[in-house]
Amino acid sequence: MQGSELALEELKMVHEVIARQERTRTLVRNWLVTLQAGLAIAYLSDQIAFSGLAYGFIASLSGLMFLLLEAVYSAAERQARQRGFEVEDYLRSLSGYDGPRVIDTLVPAARAADSNVWTGVRTMLSQMATPRILVGYAVLAVLVIVVALAGS
């Protein structure tokens, strides 16, 4: 195999990794919603004695744990995207193609290279602070507060 064929195969693998990470993050969100619904039902039923404070603490802690888990998967996805940029740049250097990059269509802001660990953490947190991710967690937090107040 030539270098360009290997690069195309690697680019396909990078796309598969990105898709797998996105599917995993979706599963994590689905499990969070399931867990939160179960906690709310347990709290609002008379079968299990929960105080509003205990429910709020458990629901908030589980939400935070799932947010951190999503951050881990987001970091892996970000690394795959960065590798995708490198492979696409290599393929572009071999040919005269000057069209849009495939990886740029996935997330244009992901091209920032990390110079150290703290830059990587800041980049990960800034990517987590997007409406696509935080809106769901904010809505969930509001629902936890409403359920805690309704059950009191």
Side-chain angles (χ1 to χ4, degrees):
M1 279 188 145
Q2 294 180 355
S4 62
E5 291 172 350
L6 289 173
L8 282 172
E9 284 300 314
E10 184 177 358
L11 190 60
K12 288 177 187 175
M13 286 189 293
V14 166
H15 287 220
E16 291 170 5
V17 167
I18 292 169
R20 186 173 55 244
Q21 293 300 326
E22 186 61 37
R23 279 192 307 272
T24 304
R25 287 173 48 197
T26 300
L27 286 172
V28 165
R29 288 183 206 131
N30 291 344
W31 275 108
L32 174 61
V33 169
T34 303
L35 176 67
Q36 294 292 337
L39 283 172
I41 290 168
Y43 173 64
L44 293 174
S45 73
D46 293 332
Q47 304 295 324
I48 300 174
F50 262 93
S51 70
L53 186 60
Y55 165 74
F57 177 75
I58 293 169
S60 299
L61 185 63
S62 65
L64 181 62
M65 287 175 26
F66 275 90
L67 181 63
L68 292 175
L69 184 60
E70 186 167 345
V72 169
Y73 290 121
S74 179
E77 185 179 332
R78 182 178 43 81
Q79 289 173 344
R81 290 179 198 275
Q82 185 61 38
R83 181 61 186 159
F85 286 129
E86 294 167 4
V87 172
E88 282 196 55
D89 286 343
Y90 170 76
L91 288 171
R92 285 171 170 271
S93 71
L94 296 177
S95 68
Y97 181 71
D98 196 26
R101 287 184 171 88
V102 175
I103 297 293
D104 282 340
T105 61
L106 296 172
V107 65
R111 196 164 176 89
D114 298 338
S115 59
N116 61 39
V117 171
W118 293 113
T119 304
V121 169
R122 280 195 307 269
T123 302
M124 182 180 72
L125 290 175
S126 69
Q127 289 177 352
M128 291 298 295
T130 61
R132 179 177 79 105
I133 294 172
L134 287 185
V135 167
Y137 285 95
V139 168
L140 190 61
V142 168
L143 288 174
V144 166
I145 292 169
V146 168
V147 168
L149 293 175
S152 297

